[in-house]
Amino acid sequence: MASPAVDYARGNQQRFLNELKNLLRIPSISTLEEHKSDVQKAAEFVASELRRIGMEHVEVIPTKGHPLIYADWLNAPGKPTALCYAHYDVQPPDPLDEWVSPPFEPTERNNNIYARGAVDDKGQLWMEIKAIEALMKGHGGKLPLNVRFIIEGEEEVGGESIAEYVRKQKAKLKADFALVCDTELFAPDLPTLCVGLRGLVYTEIEAVGPKTDLHSGMYGGAAPNPFFGLIEIISKLKDAKGRVLIPGFYSKVKAPSAQELKAWKKLPFDEEYYRKTEVGSTVLTGEPGYSVLYRTWARPTLEVHGRHAGWIYRPGREDGHPGESFGESFHAAGAEPGSG
Ligand SMILES: [Zn+2]
């Protein structure tokens, strides 16, 4: 027998979905100035639903960027407090001609809802709110624990305002654990609790050689070439098998517990399917001796994400232009908990 909360959720499923679709229709694109009022509208939409279901102290908090939403329900003395996070802003929908149905007109196909933000992160956000609603309705207006919400509208533009708010409002946001609902299910119909994401260190390396662009026929072989300098640096960062060679890179990496490793084994994971369908490559790479899940969940990685160097043709400039920036972007994801 299902719980009263689950019964309530099942009985109201269609309404929940219709509400989610209304939220999905709001083009709350945080990166585009012309959508600022839509982002505000989405914030108001979420806040008014939090009020309606019985959350208390609901605030739409103005920031330098897009508003934050706070709400709480703290009427379970002695019980733990959960801090629920999600975001209501979305990425721009470009390129538009890749969409089968319009990005801001949610459409159901094969039991999925297709719309910008459906899985990042409005679906998850609505799920959190609807779970609270169902729990309240199923238990006479009460929750079995204390709940706070902090919801942002700047996740897709760096999240500066929430970082500042969290730093300043430690007491207000105090909780025993945080539920960050901005991840995914491991497989369809498999309820998934993601307990950690790799953090990120980002850097750019710039190499410069001669004071000006030089003719390779006249100076090549004597003048240092910054492009080769970068290639040399990059080639020494990892060995051919994928192990990062930076001294100390792995020294503080914590190994997963035996229990975690055992749990991962139970997951429906097919390496061939992953290679073909998710990655789309002929082989998988990475540190020898570790499984794919181990490499992506419990080991840090180092990746190169962009490079421009040398003579770069720039449309609109007839003479082209010697490269003015010999840059390399690096993206190292560590195994420590942090932002995704
Ligand atoms: Zn997200």
Side-chain angles (χ1 to χ4, degrees):
M1 213 191 84
S3 72
V6 172
D7 283 342
Y8 181 84
R10 284 191 181 137
N12 288 274
Q13 188 184 11
Q14 204 47 54
R15 172 171 65 83
F16 289 3
L17 286 174
N18 290 340
E19 293 165 353
L20 170 62
K21 287 179 186 172
N22 286 337
L23 177 60
L24 289 166
R25 286 190 184 100
I26 307 172
S28 48
I29 307 165
S30 52
T31 44
L32 300 177
E33 190 56 32
E34 63 266 34
H35 285 283
K36 204 170 164 57
S37 63
D38 293 314
V39 180
Q40 180 77 35
K41 200 172 147 193
E44 301 290 350
F45 184 101
V46 171
S48 78
E49 185 63 7
L50 286 167
R51 273 182 211 111
R52 194 191 67 77
I53 66 167
M55 291 298 294
E56 298 172 348
H57 309 114
V58 181
E59 286 175 78
V60 175
I61 304 157
T63 71
K64 274 182 223 145
H66 301 298
L68 288 163
I69 303 159
Y70 174 85
D72 64 31
W73 191 92
L74 305 171
N75 304 311
K79 293 285 161 60
T81 302
L83 176 66
C84 300
Y85 166 89
H87 64 92
Y88 62 85
D89 63 323
V90 301
Q91 290 258 347
D94 315 88
L96 285 173
D97 54 5
E98 304 259 310
W99 286 84
V100 175
S101 51
F104 296 105
E105 189 40 62
T107 310
E108 287 186 43
R109 290 194 299 278
N110 340 309
N111 247 342
N112 295 317
I113 295 178
Y114 292 86
R116 173 53 93 223
V119 293
D120 184 15
D121 187 37
K122 287 174 173 173
Q124 292 93 321
L125 161 65
W126 212 245
M127 185 182 70
E128 284 188 327
I129 297 177
K130 296 294 109 178
I132 297 292
E133 178 181 350
L135 282 165
M136 281 210 180
K137 291 286 177 185
H139 299 93
K142 288 202 157 88
L143 292 173
L145 80 177
N146 301 299
V147 175
R148 297 180 199 271
F149 272 97
I150 184 77
I151 299 169
E152 73 168 323
E154 287 183 358
E155 201 278 342
E156 309 291 7
V157 281
E160 263 179 53
S161 300
I162 197 172
E164 195 188 325
Y165 192 80
V166 169
R167 262 196 308 275
K168 286 187 182 155
Q169 301 286 344
K170 284 192 181 131
K172 186 171 173 180
L173 300 175
K174 201 168 182 301
D176 296 284
F177 60 91
L179 184 63
V180 175
C181 235
D182 191 12
T183 52
E184 53 191 19
L185 299 186
F186 187 81
D189 297 320
L190 183 69
T192 302
L193 207 55
C194 172
V195 293
L197 291 168
R198 291 189 284 188
L200 175 148
V201 175
Y202 188 93
T203 189
E204 191 169 309
I205 298 181
E206 205 174 304
V208 277
K211 63 174 182 171
T212 181
D213 202 25
L214 295 174
H215 191 287
S216 51
M218 306 278 279
Y219 296 95
N225 182 324
F227 203 168
F228 268 107
L230 289 171
I231 291 168
E232 235 183 286
I233 294 170
I234 294 167
S235 69
K236 286 174 184 160
L237 292 173
K238 270 185 180 180
D239 68 17
K241 289 191 167 142
R243 191 176 162 81
V244 178
L245 300 174
I246 298 171
F249 190 78
Y250 297 105
S251 64
K252 285 188 181 164
V253 179
K254 261 184 156 177
S257 68
Q259 207 184 4
E260 277 174 290
L261 288 169
K262 210 174 129 195
W264 297 354
K265 286 223 170 81
K266 283 199 211 145
L267 293 170
F269 181 73
D270 177 346
E271 196 169 309
E272 256 318 90
Y273 179 86
Y274 172 85
R275 179 189 65 75
K276 267 197 205 155
T277 315
E278 285 192 44
V279 179
S281 62
T282 51
V283 288
L284 292 174
T285 55
E287 274 186 286
Y290 295 97
S291 69
V292 168
L293 295 185
Y294 201 122
R295 298 201 300 275
T296 54
W297 289 356
R299 298 293 286 172
T301 183
L302 185 146
E303 304 298 335
V304 179
H305 274 259
R307 187 191 68 216
H308 54 118
W311 190 92
I312 295 166
Y313 173 69
R314 290 171 193 205
R317 283 199 188 187
E318 273 169 20
D319 59 338
H321 188 63
E324 53 196 346
S325 166
F326 299 90
E328 293 288 340
S329 297
F330 287 88
H331 181 177
E336 286 177 28
S339 63

